[in-house]
Amino acid sequence: MSNRSIGLDDRLQAYVLDRSLRESSLLAELRAETAGLPEHNMQIAPEQGQFMALLARLVGARRYLEVGTFTGYSALAVGQALPDDGEVVCLDHSEAWTAIARRYWDRAGLAARMNLRLGDARASLRQLEAEGQSDRFDLAFIDADKTGYPEYFEACLRLVRPGGLIMVDNTLWHGQVADRDCDDEDTRAIRDFNQALHRDERIDLSLVPIGDGLSLARRR
């Protein structure tokens, strides 16, 4: 997990932010508050949030699904990029982390479009399908427990419409996916997931080295 893009030294990272980042003051404030948490490395990089918002606009997203919300930075970044009738469905297990998210969504005037569902993400995804929401989302983001990625991805593939986009975070995993000496459970899970995506003929695929690696899968 990382809140800056992999492979960039301090000088180049500063240049990227100085010449590209258009972070709102509210997003910057949320990022600063999150930096004070012990789990702050779970925060996505600001340039990644901006990239995801751009993707939302490029695909014309109106409905966005997020598996793993943390303190709400990605949901806020993408939510601000949706049209006035847009909707964000966020799945998370933490009341404490998402309480921070709710404060910032309220301040951004986006509370009405945010649908937060607390609990086990697998159960929440099954519930969305039971509600008849298959093929109803334009964009999805997966950033949760790494061993759960295959199940989350399959559910999102059913929930996202044909032509919709699924974004999957941490697919470079600090570079450990390419280090043969790393053999922990999360690293193995991401390696296996990346290999499965590469072979999946149901999607168009690109692994973008932004943040800690962001895999983009367009449903065919």
Side-chain angles (χ1 to χ4, degrees):
M1 294 172 283
S2 176
N3 43 34
R4 61 181 292 169
S5 285
I6 193 168
L8 300 183
D9 61 22
D10 290 343
R11 183 176 60 177
L12 192 52
Q13 175 75 14
Y15 182 86
V16 168
L17 297 182
D18 187 56
R19 293 295 184 270
S20 173
L21 189 63
R22 296 175 175 177
E23 186 180 42
S24 70
S25 59
L26 197 60
L27 280 169
E29 187 178 337
L30 172 54
R31 183 160 57 94
E33 180 172 343
T34 303
L37 298 177
E39 306 88 355
H40 63 89
N41 280 340
M42 292 171 60
Q43 173 74 72
I44 66 169
E47 63 271 24
Q48 179 179 330
Q50 181 168 295
F51 181 60
M52 290 167 57
L54 177 62
L55 291 173
R57 292 187 172 100
L58 286 172
V59 302
R62 191 184 69 80
R63 301 192 77 224
Y64 167 60
L65 172 63
E66 188 167 274
V67 184
T69 292
F70 191 36
T71 59
Y73 188 96
S74 52
L76 179 57
V78 174
Q80 290 177 325
L82 299 183
D84 290 342
D85 63 345
E87 181 184 4
V88 177
V89 177
C90 294
L91 313 182
D92 204 278
H93 64 86
S94 173
E95 178 66 48
W97 292 341
T98 56
I100 298 172
R102 286 180 187 272
R103 284 197 282 109
Y104 284 87
W105 299 342
D106 286 343
R107 291 176 57 191
L110 297 179
R113 73 175 57 171
M114 298 297 193
N115 179 350
L116 174 63
R117 302 188 181 203
L118 291 176
D120 179 73
R122 294 168 179 83
S124 296
L125 289 165
R126 289 193 296 270
Q127 181 61 34
L128 287 170
E129 292 189 69
E131 293 170 4
Q133 300 208 46
S134 297
D135 301 330
R136 296 280 306 279
F137 289 90
D138 307 295
L139 185 67
F141 179 47
I142 301 171
D143 186 13
D145 58 287
K146 308 314 166 193
T147 56
Y149 271 20
E151 191 172 351
Y152 300 145
F153 181 79
E154 288 300 321
C156 286
L157 198 61
R158 294 188 293 270
L159 289 162
V160 166
R161 62 170 170 80
L165 186 67
I166 303 171
M167 307 174 289
V168 187
D169 202 25
N170 303 121
T171 48
L172 290 179
W173 200 235
H174 335 295
Q176 291 174 201
V177 288
D179 185 345
R180 293 183 179 180
D181 293 331
C182 292
D183 196 40
D184 60 276
E185 184 180 25
D186 283 340
T187 301
R188 291 196 306 271
I190 295 175
R191 283 192 191 119
D192 291 346
F193 177 75
N194 287 342
Q195 185 174 42
L197 280 192
H198 190 222
R199 294 173 174 172
D200 197 330
E201 296 297 328
R202 299 171 299 173
I203 60 170
D204 300 313
L205 175 68
S206 183
L207 200 173
V208 181
I210 193 170
D212 194 29
L214 185 68
S215 289
L216 305 178
R218 176 187 175 273
R219 181 182 168 188
R220 290 178 172 172

